[in-house]
């Protein structure tokens, strides 16, 4: 779990679980994202496009996110992202990725293609 907001940090860091690692604030987001196979984005409020999701997709990560987190991003559930809006849906999506690595790799590869095609994430590479 990556957590940035200091007002809630103490409560989060006190959470004790063998199944959850609280990272806190990190120094290099790209390095952190690249070190993981799956990116989970349980965003429940906010507005605007989520650049970190686009970055994760560009890095061929399987993204599991709420509909709100994926808002404004050209993506299709089950093809280049997994949409989960409830705790049970997140659980099932994570379990699907754990039990079927081929599926999360495929979603990550499709996510990369989607970013290349629809989001102009690599403008400096055009003409190369």
């Amino acid at each position: 779990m990556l957590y940035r907001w200091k007002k809630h940090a103490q409560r989060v860091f006190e959470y004790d679980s063998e199944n959850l690692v609280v990272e806190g604030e990190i120094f290099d987001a790209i390095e952190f994202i690249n070190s993981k196979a799956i990116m989970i984005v349980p965003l429940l409020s906010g507005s605007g496009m989520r650049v970190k999701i686009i970055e994760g997709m560009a890095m061929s990560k399987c993204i599991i996110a709420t509909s709100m987190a994926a808002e404004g991003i050209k993506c299709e559930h089950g093809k280049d992202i997994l949409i989960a809006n409830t705790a049970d849906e997140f659980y099932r999506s994570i379990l699907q990725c754990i039990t079927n690595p081929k599926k999360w790799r495929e979603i990550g590869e499709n996510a990369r293609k989607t970013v290349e095609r629809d989001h102009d994430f690599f403008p400096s590479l055009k003409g190369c």
Side-chain angles (χ1 to χ4, degrees), residues 17-124:
S17 171
E18 293 178 16
N19 300 318
L20 179 68
V21 175
V22 179
E23 294 284 346
E25 194 165 352
I26 58 165
F27 296 106
D28 186 342
I30 299 299
E31 182 180 322
F32 180 81
I33 293 168
N34 206 30
S35 72
K36 312 298 180 225
I38 300 167
M39 186 174 166
I40 301 170
V41 188
L43 190 67
L44 300 175
S45 64
S47 62
M49 187 162 57
R50 307 327 186 262
V51 175
K52 292 294 176 218
I53 293 177
I54 298 291
E55 288 175 347
M57 291 173 74
M59 296 167 73
S60 301
K61 302 302 172 186
C62 177
I63 312 291
I64 303 172
T66 59
S67 297
M68 180 168 285
E71 197 172 88
I73 299 172
K74 291 183 181 178
C75 56
E76 183 182 333
H77 171 66
K79 180 183 176 200
D80 48 22
I81 195 169
L82 293 175
I83 299 295
N85 291 307
T86 66
D88 186 59
E89 290 173 353
F90 271 98
Y91 170 79
R92 291 177 188 278
S93 293
I94 293 166
L95 186 62
Q96 177 184 4
C97 290
I98 291 170
T99 59
N100 189 355
K102 182 179 177 189
K103 180 68 175 171
W104 65 253
R105 284 188 198 101
E106 179 181 308
I107 289 172
E109 289 167 8
N110 288 338
R112 168 72 182 225
K113 291 174 188 170
T114 296
V115 170
E116 289 174 347
R117 182 188 68 235
D118 297 335
H119 294 284
D120 200 27
F121 195 73
F122 306 100
S124 62

